[in-house]
């Protein structure tokens, strides 16, 4: 909650000590609030929500191409294997699920067809994946097979999978989402060679999705030659398409709650963030949350701006929290210099001296100046620090000037939250 005027969730004044009852009351009040003044159906803004066809915007070509590659499946023949790639939030998972479900819905009467979706970021080992697929395609009543989630060998899970497919299907489509996160290529290899190896007569079509463009190129040659994949790339959305995607979900909100400029602004932000539909939807939902928390009757452009600032801060915090300790010390050096001076940019040597002070102060190893330069470069690569070269003339030579991208107060706070920097003397400045 960003200002004092939160929706009515206060504990009565006479409750001096926060008792258990008071806590129950707060929770009760929040949960029992029947009317949500902002949202009518928030689930439309959940990322897992699969919109119906009439809400899928700007992907007609991709839907057409993928449907063509999978066309054989509805007739009971082998579909093509497809690798779908493209940047994050460009609709790859959505379109793959949608087209697969349509293939199942439109299959010829005599074709037994099924599809399953495997999230390789969760099931990232061959055994887990084989287990999940075998169980997902199985129907114990039909096959008489009870497949345990854990405990069998990889080979045993594959054996069950082939048995299930053989008994239940003529064709299956298997979506391997985030396929680059699989520990190895073995699953792809086994699926693509299942027929050839005589494991099952069921035809298998694999749709492997990745947001790493290089992934398909780096695949093992043997996998490539048995998979023979068709490739389908998804391009980022432009602001207009993002706006349309959001317009199709405006019924997530109560009528007349969204100010006119809200959706275009969310779309413009997301377009500048690499055309990511997920971000567009996230910003819209967060803006709605901000409006709710502030007791507002409508969602305004200011709510969108504030929601975005908050999201950016959260993302930045996560990024900085994840960097190694030496990099944190380097970053802290730059933050302290910035806090103690009018200047924004500092030559590497000066930052290095400050960094040495910090390391001495907290008892951490000091890296060489050369290694320190590499650390600054890595921080620049992550977008945390900006550095540029400047020619200081004959006396100074060429020097690298470093600047924090975010405000120094924020950087300072985040790093001081790390327990390893707790003992640092306050307001340490260049000596
Ligand atoms: N064309 C579209 N029309 C409507 N909603 C869309 C469209 N494209 C994406 N979305 C929505 O945006 C979100 C992200 O889309 P999706 O998960 O398909 O992206 P992705 O390309 O798989 O991204 P990632 O690589 O990060 O997994 C989802 O909530 C999805 O419903
Ligand atoms: Mg995806």
């Amino acid at each position: 909650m960003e200002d004092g005027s939160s929706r009515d969730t206060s504990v009565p004044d006479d409750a001096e000590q926060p008792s258990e009852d008071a806590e129950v009351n707060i929770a009760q009040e929040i949960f029992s609030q029947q009317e949500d003044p902002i949202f009518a159906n928030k689930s439309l803004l959940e990322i897992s929500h699969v919109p119906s066809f009439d809400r899928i915007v700007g992907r007609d070509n991709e839907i057409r191409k993928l449907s063509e590659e999978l066309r054989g499946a509805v007739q009971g023949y082998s579909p093509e294997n497809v690798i779908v790639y493209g940047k994050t939030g460009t609709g790859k998972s959505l379109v793959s699920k949608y087209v697969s479900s349509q293939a199942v819905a439109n299959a010829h009467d005599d074709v037994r067809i099924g599809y399953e979706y495997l999230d390789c970021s969760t099931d990232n080992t061959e055994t887990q994946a084989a287990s999940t697929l075998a169980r997902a395609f199985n129907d114990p009543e039909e096959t008489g097979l009870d497949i345990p989630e854990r405990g069998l060998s990889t080979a045993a899970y594959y054996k069950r999978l082939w048995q299930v497919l053989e008994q239940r299907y003529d064709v299956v489509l298997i979506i391997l989402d985030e396929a680059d996160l699989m520990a190895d290529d073995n699953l792809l290899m086994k699926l693509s060679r299942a027929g050839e190896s005589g494991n099952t007569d069921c035809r298998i079509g694999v749709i492997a999705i990745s947001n790493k463009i290089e992934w398909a190129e780096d695949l093992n040659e043997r996998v490539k030659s048995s998979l023979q994949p068709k490739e389908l790339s998804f391009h980022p959305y432009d602001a207009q398409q993002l706006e349309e995607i959001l317009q199709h979900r405006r019924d997530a909100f109560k009528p007349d709650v969204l100010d006119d400029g809200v959706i275009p602004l969310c779309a413009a932000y997301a377009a500048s963030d690499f055309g990511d539909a997920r971000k567009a939807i996230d910003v819209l939902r967060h803006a709605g949350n901000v409006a709710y928390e502030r007791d507002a009757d409508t969602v305004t452009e200011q709510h969108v701006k504030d929601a975005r600032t908050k999201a950016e801060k959260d993302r930045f915090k996560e990024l900085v929290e994840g960097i190694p300790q030496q990099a944190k010390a380097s970053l802290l050096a730059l933050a302290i210099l910035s806090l103690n001076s009018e200047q924004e940019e500092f030559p590497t040597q000066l930052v290095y001296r400050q960094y040495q002070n910090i390391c001495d102060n907290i008892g951490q190893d000091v890296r060489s100046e050369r290694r320190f330069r590499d650390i600054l470069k890595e921080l620049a690569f992550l977008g945390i620090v900006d550095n540029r070269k400047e020619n200081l003339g004959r006396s100074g030579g060429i020097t690298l000037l470093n600047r924090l991208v975010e405000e120094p107060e924020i950087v300072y706070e985040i790093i001081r939250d790390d327990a390893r920097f707790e003992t640092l003397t306050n307001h340490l400045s260049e000596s």
Side-chain angles (χ1 to χ4, degrees), residues 51-57 98 244 248:
S52 55
F53 176 64
D54 55 340
R55 287 171 186 249
I56 302 182
V57 171
Y98 170 72
E244 219 180 313
H248 278 76

Side-chain angles (χ1 to χ4, degrees), residues 8-9 11 28 36 48 115 135 146 193 209-210 216 219 260 270 282-283 310 330 339 347 349 356 365 367 381 413 425:
D8 191 19
T9 53
V11 186
Q28 255 177 4
D36 184 324
S48 55
Y115 101 84
R135 283 178 304 108
D146 234 344
R193 298 203 168 180
I209 308 178
S210 169
L219 271 182
D260 284 348
D282 275 349
V283 172
K310 185 177 176 304
S330 316
L339 285 171
Q349 270 187 343
Q356 284 174 312
D365 288 350
R367 295 282 185 263
F381 178 76
E413 289 301 321
T425 320

Side-chain angles (χ1 to χ4, degrees), residues 330-342:
S330 316
L331 200 56
L332 186 59
L334 192 52
I336 290 174
L337 288 174
S338 313
L339 285 171
N340 286 313
S341 138
E342 296 286 291

Side-chain angles (χ1 to χ4, degrees), residues 46-51 55-59 86-95 177-178 209 211 237 245 249 276-278 281:
E46 278 166 12
I47 292 304
S48 55
H49 169 75
V50 180
R55 287 171 186 249
I56 302 182
V57 171
R59 292 283 102 136
K87 290 239 169 76
T88 183
T90 51
K92 301 182 297 296
S93 302
L94 170 62
V95 166
D177 205 351
E178 319 266 359
I209 308 178
N211 49 26
Y237 295 108
I245 289 174
R249 300 195 189 196
D276 181 341
R278 181 179 293 113
I281 296 169

